[in-house]
Amino acid sequence: MSITSTDCWVDLSGEAISGVSDLTERFGLHELAAEDALHAHQRPKLERYDDTLVLVAKPAFYDDDAEAIRIGELFVAIGDGFIVTVRHGDAHRIGGRAAAKHQESPLSERRPVDVLYQLLDEVVDGYEPIIRGLQIDIEEIEQEVFSVQRTNSAPRIYALKRHVLEMLRNVEPLIGPLERLASPTGDLAVVTRNRADADEIDEYFRDVADHVRRLVAQLHTVNDVLSDALQANLAQVSVSQNDDMRTMSAWAAIFLVPTLLAGVWGMNFDSMPELDYRFGYPLAIGIMILASLALWWQFRRSGWLGTPTRNR
């Protein structure tokens, strides 16, 4: 894509990525930079090779249906008069806004460093929907954890925590490169034609860096909330298990009384006084029923069998 008569933007993705090697001589790319462009799975970073800057960023997108974060990789090599971008994975979605912006700009205002800012701003703006999606999922998890229905949300919470930690690994390291680009004495002057151009664009990269810091703080907050939700879920599971044990113990105690009385009266002794009593059998059954009902009422009132009938 042409930017000015002397500046150019070369964008590669998919099968065209193999063409990076052809650009090495044309733009003087370092062989290590070309290797990073060909092979993805780099951490966010900013490196300087003579008069060329190489930046790696990690665009991310949230799949709400799968509750998963898709992370791509954007490689940018920028020098005085050119910019080369290589997009891996889901990073193919990045660049449309930057392209439209510079197609509308006057020819004299289109500079590679402006494209770099637009790309980074687009990458960072793409993190916002992820935070919103995670916050919505957290609200749903909180409702599940404290619901009267007996559900175990631990697998869902743990899966979200993994996604948040993956986001932090790919977003937080971007702060350092952005701070270097925003520094008045940083590396940006290498790829600008004069100091005035670098001073003019510094504040824009500083704004993107501040945006990333806010997002990282939000991600840490989301991670802390998920940790608290996981602990609350485990506590709810423990309480539920304790309620089950209390209910089982209460019913066992209720059935213990008639079992004990039946065992006593069922012994085969000739000298037992109850054997000659006319109403001995109904009396024994009545005592068993009354004792069981008394225990049931006591356990019910104390909350061991369902909802307590009064405050303890």
Side-chain angles (χ1 to χ4, degrees):
M1 178 179 297
S2 176
I3 297 180
T4 71
S5 58
T6 56
D7 297 350
C8 67
W9 175 8
V10 178
D11 180 56
L12 303 175
S13 62
E15 297 180 355
I17 293 177
S18 59
V20 169
S21 56
D22 299 332
L23 302 176
T24 303
E25 294 183 2
R26 178 180 177 184
F27 297 114
L29 292 180
H30 195 279
E31 59 180 5
L32 293 178
E35 183 179 352
D36 288 345
L38 286 171
H39 306 289
H41 309 297
Q42 303 288 326
R43 287 175 57 85
K45 63 180 181 178
L46 177 65
E47 294 182 346
R48 175 178 174 180
Y49 298 98
D50 297 328
D51 58 350
T52 302
L53 292 181
V54 170
L55 182 137
V56 175
K58 309 290 280 192
F61 309 91
Y62 192 63
D63 187 345
D64 187 60
D65 294 333
E67 289 189 356
I69 298 174
R70 313 298 183 190
I71 296 179
E73 184 169 316
L74 176 66
F75 170 92
V76 182
I78 180 172
D80 186 8
F82 74 91
I83 180 170
V84 176
T85 56
V86 181
R87 297 177 292 173
H88 296 271
D90 285 318
H92 69 275
R93 310 183 193 183
I94 294 296
R97 194 170 71 189
K101 175 77 173 178
H102 287 275
Q103 285 176 348
E104 297 173 357
S105 300
L107 193 65
S108 60
E109 296 181 5
R110 302 177 188 175
R111 301 171 300 174
V113 69
D114 296 323
V115 178
L116 176 63
Y117 161 71
Q118 287 291 332
L119 289 171
L120 289 175
D121 187 54
E122 194 170 346
V123 168
V124 175
D125 285 347
Y127 298 149
E128 288 281 2
I130 297 176
I131 302 295
R132 291 195 296 268
L134 289 171
Q135 290 172 340
I136 292 174
D137 290 334
I138 287 176
E139 292 177 359
E140 294 176 355
I141 286 174
E142 289 176 339
Q143 293 177 358
E144 291 178 3
V145 169
F146 298 103
S147 172
V148 294
Q149 298 179 351
R150 302 180 60 174
T151 58
N152 183 12
S153 302
R156 185 183 182 189
I157 297 173
Y158 185 73
L160 283 176
K161 277 185 66 67
R162 286 182 62 96
H163 291 310
V164 171
L165 292 176
E166 185 178 6
M167 276 292 294
L168 283 171
R169 285 195 299 269
N170 289 286
V171 176
E172 198 164 16
L174 187 60
I175 296 177
L178 288 171
E179 289 178 341
R180 288 174 58 185
L181 291 173
S183 174
T185 58
D187 300 305
L188 199 58
V190 174
V191 296
T192 52
R193 292 188 173 90
N194 55 64
R195 181 65 254 177
D197 288 342
D199 293 337
E200 178 186 346
I201 200 69
D202 282 350
E203 59 188 30
Y204 291 94
F205 287 106
R206 190 177 303 112
D207 178 72
V208 178
D210 291 339
H211 193 180
V212 173
R213 291 191 195 94
R214 292 195 300 270
L215 291 172
V216 168
Q218 289 178 306
L219 284 171
H220 280 294
T221 300
V222 168
N223 186 52
D224 293 339
V225 172
L226 285 173
S227 297
D228 294 340
L230 183 60
Q231 294 298 323
N233 181 75
L234 294 176
Q236 290 290 93
V237 171
S238 298
V239 169
S240 179
Q241 291 177 342
N242 289 336
D243 289 341
D244 292 340
M245 291 301 298
R246 290 197 308 177
T247 302
M248 293 171 62
S249 299
W251 282 112
I254 291 173
F255 284 108
L256 176 63
V257 173
T259 301
L260 177 63
L261 295 176
V264 171
W265 278 314
M267 292 186 292
N268 297 321
F269 290 104
D270 294 334
S271 60
M272 292 183 67
E274 296 87 353
L275 296 178
D276 298 329
Y277 185 54
R278 180 179 178 181
F279 299 102
Y281 179 74
L283 179 62
I285 298 298
I287 292 175
M288 293 181 189
I289 294 175
L290 289 175
S292 298
L293 288 175
L295 285 174
W296 176 86
W297 173 252
Q298 181 61 35
F299 286 132
R300 177 76 175 178
R301 189 177 63 171
S302 63
W304 281 46
L305 291 174
T307 305
T309 57
R310 64 176 180 83
N311 294 330
R312 281 191 263 177

